[in-house]
Every structure is written in C-alpha cells, then in structure tokens.
Amino acid sequence: MDVAVVGATGDVGRQICTQLVERRVLPPTSRLQLVGRPDGRSATATHGLAADLVDAYDEHAPLLDVALDPADVVADVVVVAAGRTAGTQPGESVDRSGLARDNARVFATYADALARHGSGREVVVVVSNPVELGVALLGDALGRHRVIGMGAWLDTLRFRREVAASIGVRRHRVGGFAVGQHGDDLVPLWSTVRIAGLDPAERRAEVGRVRGPRTLATYDDEIAAAKHALSTAAVQDLAGAFRLVDTWPPDVRLAARPWMTQQSGAKTAAGTASATIDLIETVLDGRDTVVAGQVLLDGEVALAGQPVHGVLGVPVVLGPEGWTQVLLPALADDEHERLAAVARRIAAGVAPWTDVVEVEEPEGAVR
C-alpha cells in the first residue's frame, strides 16, 4: 500500500511524512510519495526531505519517491496538506475566507489531476484548511465516499483528552465525538461521551460534574470570551495564559488550547499529523472503524427537518474504500440546534468557491 503526501515540506506535511516512517506505518516494500511544487524552494526541499528521511530511518524506511507534477500523484491514500495555513502572529485571527481564496485552486488542481490520472480507487484525506472546502471540491471530482477531512477527528481526539483530564483518566478510556466545522464552529457532542469502567449513572454524574449546568447555546460567547482573556494574559505571561486555559470546562479548553498554541507561534503540526496518521492507518488496515471526519453528505443526515446536502463533520465508518455510512446518533436539543446552524454556515462559506474554480497549472506541468 502506498501513500502520497501533497505539501510534504510544509510544517504539517513534514510531520506526517516523518511520523509515517518513524511509526513504521508503511513497510519497506511500500512507497511514500513526497509531493511538492516544481518551482521555487519546494522542488529542492522535497528532494532534501527524502534524503533526510533515508538518513534517519534507513533500516525500515519505505521506498521514497518525489513527485513535482500533480499528474504524477498516484497512491492508495493521498493526503492533501498543501496550501496556505493560518497565521501565528499573536492576536491574528483565522481568516477562513482568505484561506479559501488562497487554497481553492490547490484543491481544484489536485482534484482535477487525480480525476484524470489517479487509480480511481485512492482515498483522499484532506488536512489543509478550510478542510470543508477541500472535501467539497475533491469529493465532487473523485466521488464523495473516497474523501474525508481530518479536522473532526482531530477535534474529537482533543475533546476526549480534555474530558479525560477533567475526570482523571487516560484518553483511551473516553469515547465521544466533536463534529461540525473544524475550528470555532465545532460541536462537542456531550451526549456521546462514554467512559470505560463507569456505568451509565456514574458516567452521567461525571459528565454533569465536569460540564456543569451549561449548554451549547452559550458556546460561541464562551469561546469569544476565552480568546479575549487569553489575548490579554499572553501579553504579560504566555505560560500564565496556558494555565488559564486549564481552569475552564473541557469543551472551552477544546477550542481555546489549540488557538493559544497557534498564537504562541508553536503551531499544531504534531497533533494534526498524528490525527492524520490515525486515518491513514485505518484505511490501510483493511478493517472498518468508526471515526469522525468532514464528509460530503447527500441527505444521510437531517437537521432542523431538512436533509443536509453538503459538507459536515460527523461520525462515519471508515475503511479501505473510504467512508461507507454515517453514525450520527440522536442528539440533545442544544447539540442539534448548534449543528444545524453550523451546517448552514459551512454551506454559505463553501458556496462561493464550488461553482467554478479555475485550475492553476503548476509551472512545468505536463498533460
């Protein structure tokens, strides 16, 4: 089984490539394709990354291949981690419309190339933001069941970790999902939280204790207030700002901690790469597993009495041929209301870019 990483020399792409090799996800007989651009620094850096990985992991590294033309990208799993990322300057907000404007052509370019030259069976994991736009464009070109966005799985892992920390257990003992849009419009599904070793009554008591009497009706205001408090605290004491995050409920920490990490300049590349590896391993393993991901729905979910025809982060069954079914359980009223609103906002954000996106041919591309 082969994996291609588009944007291999970016912060996240490099982490994905390194973790794939270091964690021995691919055997030496498989191929890891490092995909860059034919122009500028990317072309030379991609070759350099391949050499560096061999130096570090020669005993168990897979076959390494460099591709600088989208038409040459062929693999069982294609990870799209190319394009512009959110800024890391303190106080800088995430401009999703700006990311969409800059990255829509990247998504469209590789969607077109894979549709023309791919195997017709590859599963695509979208990492670049806005992940929902990437899923929309690639899913439309390749078939919606073969494309999944990583964002909801990363949010889910973060949610489980924050709940686990509040309860005092390890993350692997906590189940539950965070869905919706990757970013501030995520939807933590408290109703899905399960804790291994606790019966339903004990679980309800623990969830009630760590969540408190709050609902998602105030979640947007809580996130905005948290960001404001962190921006103020970080000016004088960055470590103190991270300590402040620890004082909040798990779902507020879920949104605030990665935002503070990004603001610190450290970025979130390691966590993003690790969540991506989870999805890659699931596809390569050959067994169906329940994960969360952004997918292109065609009526599988109904919210506010209307079927959703568009991208939304939901729990799905993922396997070697992509995702096969949605497993969104019955939701609490506040979860249903927020998820319906998020679905509408995603649709509005994606719409301007999904009608006609001009594909930009990279310099030196051969058709």
Side-chain angles (χ1 to χ4, degrees), residues 86-110:
T88 59
Q89 295 300 315
E92 185 177 357
S93 61
V94 176
D95 179 9
R96 296 188 72 86
S97 63
L99 286 174
R101 180 183 62 250
D102 292 343
N103 291 343
R105 287 186 176 180
V106 175
F107 296 139
T109 295
Y110 286 96

Side-chain angles (χ1 to χ4, degrees), residues 286-355:
R287 294 179 294 178
D288 291 341
T289 304
V290 179
V291 299
Q294 273 74 18
V295 296
L296 182 55
L297 299 172
D298 190 20
E300 291 91 346
V301 170
L303 296 170
Q306 298 295 323
V308 177
H309 297 278
V311 178
L312 188 64
V314 290
V316 296
V317 176
L318 180 66
E321 297 179 356
W323 66 274
T324 53
Q325 64 183 114
V326 177
L327 296 179
L328 186 67
L331 303 177
D333 290 344
D334 62 330
E335 296 167 347
H336 188 281
E337 183 176 346
R338 179 172 176 83
L339 190 58
V342 167
R344 292 191 293 269
R345 289 197 285 268
I346 292 174
V350 166
W353 310 99
T354 52
D355 293 334

